[in-house]
Amino acid sequence: GQDNDVGKVSYNHSTNALELGTNGAAQWSLDSSGNWLPAATDHGIYLGVTSATAANLLDDYEEGTFTPQIFYQNTSDQANVSYTKQDGFYTKVGNLVTIKIDINFSQANNPATDNIGFKNLPFTGRGTGAGTLFYVKGQTQPYIQIAPSLNSSTALFFNYNYTGNQGVTVGTGSKSIRTSFSYMTNQ
């Protein structure tokens, strides 16, 4: 007889499908077109939860590009930014977003002592938190990118002492930033 406590993997000739089963019966099958049956939106592996939550689904995977911009809190400073390169790449798995930015920009006027950061991130943040150290070409001090706050798509720059309002320290002229960082999203 068949042991009902043992899982099985088999091929069903009549349906041309690979079957996965327990308790002596097929529970899922993969048909010849690559479809899992029975069809359901919640198939996959959930991380950190006991019920189906889209942000915790392992197959919630996405990658793509976006156009990052420098964020200046002062509106006139923001209007005076020009770009020669704006490459942004992202990978999202569940609720973790990993960003890669390669951006060249210039600021003609002397910026105000206001916040500066990256804007147009592809997903909004889940909350505040520390980010990654990076350098702006031509600057000697490192900056820290702070994860976007709740429902924001802007990540601010702080100095190594966690002091904000770094727009004036980044300064004028041509700048280059290449960095990557990760943050949590609720999207």
Side-chain angles (χ1 to χ4, degrees):
Q2 184 164 347
D3 185 344
N4 289 338
D5 294 326
V6 176
K8 74 173 192 167
V9 176
S10 62
Y11 177 74
N12 185 323
H13 292 283
S14 63
T15 61
N16 193 24
L18 175 66
E19 294 180 343
L20 305 173
T22 58
N23 296 329
Q27 303 296 314
W28 279 9
S29 64
L30 180 63
D31 69 16
S32 60
S33 299
N35 299 311
W36 283 102
L37 301 173
T41 58
D42 63 351
H43 287 176
I45 299 170
Y46 292 90
L47 304 174
V49 294
T50 57
S51 63
T53 303
N56 295 82
L57 184 59
L58 186 59
D59 73 354
D60 183 9
Y61 177 89
E62 185 179 335
E63 60 183 39
T65 61
F66 69 103
T67 305
Q69 289 183 301
I70 292 298
F71 166 78
Y72 280 97
Q73 187 174 356
N74 184 299
T75 305
S76 63
D77 292 342
Q78 205 146 270
N80 287 312
V81 177
S82 59
Y83 300 92
T84 57
K85 186 175 195 175
Q86 291 175 270
D87 293 338
F89 304 93
Y90 72 87
T91 302
K92 179 179 173 282
V93 179
N95 61 4
L96 179 65
V97 181
T98 302
I99 298 291
K100 178 182 178 271
I101 290 178
D102 188 354
I103 191 168
N104 297 336
F105 67 99
S106 61
Q107 174 61 272
N109 65 323
N110 193 17
T113 306
D114 279 328
N115 284 322
I116 184 173
F118 297 117
K119 68 178 186 174
N120 298 341
L121 298 177
F123 300 95
T124 58
R126 187 171 172 178
T128 58
T132 305
L133 278 174
F134 67 93
Y135 286 88
V136 176
K137 185 177 179 184
Q139 300 292 330
T140 56
Q141 75 166 351
Y143 293 93
I144 301 169
Q145 164 278 320
I146 301 299
S149 59
L150 183 63
N151 299 322
S152 173
S153 60
T154 301
L156 299 179
F157 301 175
F158 283 58
N159 70 11
Y160 54 91
N161 290 322
Y162 283 99
T163 304
N165 297 326
Q166 296 298 304
V168 72
T169 64
V170 171
T172 61
S174 296
K175 305 296 177 188
S176 177
I177 301 173
R178 289 174 188 84
T179 188
S180 63
F181 57 91
S182 297
Y183 65 95
M184 303 298 275
T185 183
N186 52 8
Q187 290 183 295

